[in-house]
Amino acid sequence: MEKMKALGCFLLLSLLFSPFVSTFALTDAQASFIARRQLQSLPENGDLPEDFEHKVEVKHTFENNRLKRAYIALQAWKKAIYSDPQNFTGNWDGPDVCTYNGVFCAPALDDPSMTVVAGIDLNHGDIAGYLPLELGLLSDIALLHINSNRFCGIVPKSFNKLSLMHELDISNNRFVGPFPKSVLSIPDLKYLDIRFNEFEGELPSELFDKKLDALFLNNNRFSSSIPETLGNSTASIILFANNKFSGCIPSSIGKMSDLQEVIFLNNDLSGCLPPELGFLGNVSVMDISGNGFIGILPKSFSELKSLEILDIRNNQLTGLRAIFPITSLLR
Ligand SMILES: *[C@@H]1O[C@H](CO)[C@@H](O)[C@H](O)[C@H]1NC(C)=O
Ligand SMILES: *[C@@H]1O[C@H](CO)[C@@H](O)[C@H](O)[C@H]1NC(C)=O
Ligand SMILES: *[C@@H]1O[C@H](CO)[C@@H](O)[C@H](O)[C@H]1NC(C)=O
């Protein structure tokens, strides 16, 4: 019995300290080393020359040219990986890319007789490395999920070639630099998740002209004001939280008829709250806490008929009596 207990304890300890349950955080020096290697490999900041694939020598034969392009992309990616503690990409070898871990194939949208790489999911891989420009050859992917890894550097320009992409999730990595503008050229992007990285600077105003369903920008280092185009957005959920956005909430927000959830938590936003917020009849969650809003809560807030959660704490709002019609809705 005692022996069993001791064994159990040992197992628990070995699990706790096993590399397979721990995340190896990159030091800043390692992250900048990987980012430098990426920059050295990127011509013109990562644009993909048209004739690129013809210059790469490939010794295998492929069922079709798009699988060959995918092979070139995935091999380049494997080379750009510096640490893969779970051996996730261990089987990324040989011409049959559809058997690679995390790689999903499907019939091509424009030619169902052709098999192509349609998605990649490396979520929670704990992989350290960078994104090579060759990823722009994956022109059939609809989904790229690489959240919770240790990818560093920038999102290469060649991402503008991923024209079928619907879902891009690069959250919880170590990406740096300005907002990755190449994603703005992806025509049908619906879901964009770049939260928990180190992106900085301003948001491009074109971001809100995209027909997105969901936009996660939280926990980066974005600063400057939120573009006036915000109201053009079709998103039902937008998270701005934990950045350094300043200025007012654009009054155009009142046009966002699809908006259900909007989180401005912990920024440097200020000024008065635009009365147009009251037009958001479909919003169920609104969090403006931890900012510098002043003045009174607009009367129009009583029009927020779908509201279930409203957080306005840690601002300099006065006259909070106006909130009572709402709190009575929040039973
Ligand atoms: C990683 O996976 C490959 C293929 O599955 C295998 O051949 C290799 O031995 C593995 N490496 C380690 C270090 O486990
Ligand atoms: C986006 O918003 C801006 C400012 O509110 C407006 O001038 C522009 O016409 C809008 N664009 C589209 C495509 O709706
Ligand atoms: C709420 O959403 C519905 C369906 O998308 C839309 O028709 C309606 O205009 C929205 N309401 C408001 C107040 O924006």
Side-chain angles (χ1 to χ4, degrees), residues 256-258 279-282:
M256 295 180 66
S257 53
D258 295 321
F279 299 166
L280 299 172
N282 287 319

Side-chain angles (χ1 to χ4, degrees), residues 141-192:
I141 54 171
L143 175 157
L144 179 61
H145 287 181
I146 57 168
N147 89 47
S148 307
N149 284 284
R150 295 172 293 154
F151 287 109
C152 310
I154 61 166
V155 176
K157 238 194 220 165
S158 63
F159 267 49
N160 62 10
K161 302 271 199 299
L162 305 177
S163 56
L164 297 180
M165 187 125 71
H166 264 240
E167 286 184 26
L168 178 61
D169 179 357
I170 59 170
S171 61
N172 201 17
N173 280 285
R174 299 269 313 248
F175 292 112
V176 296
F179 180 90
K181 281 221 172 85
S182 44
V183 307
L184 298 175
S185 324
I186 303 173
D188 293 325
L189 193 63
K190 292 291 175 204
Y191 180 98
L192 178 60

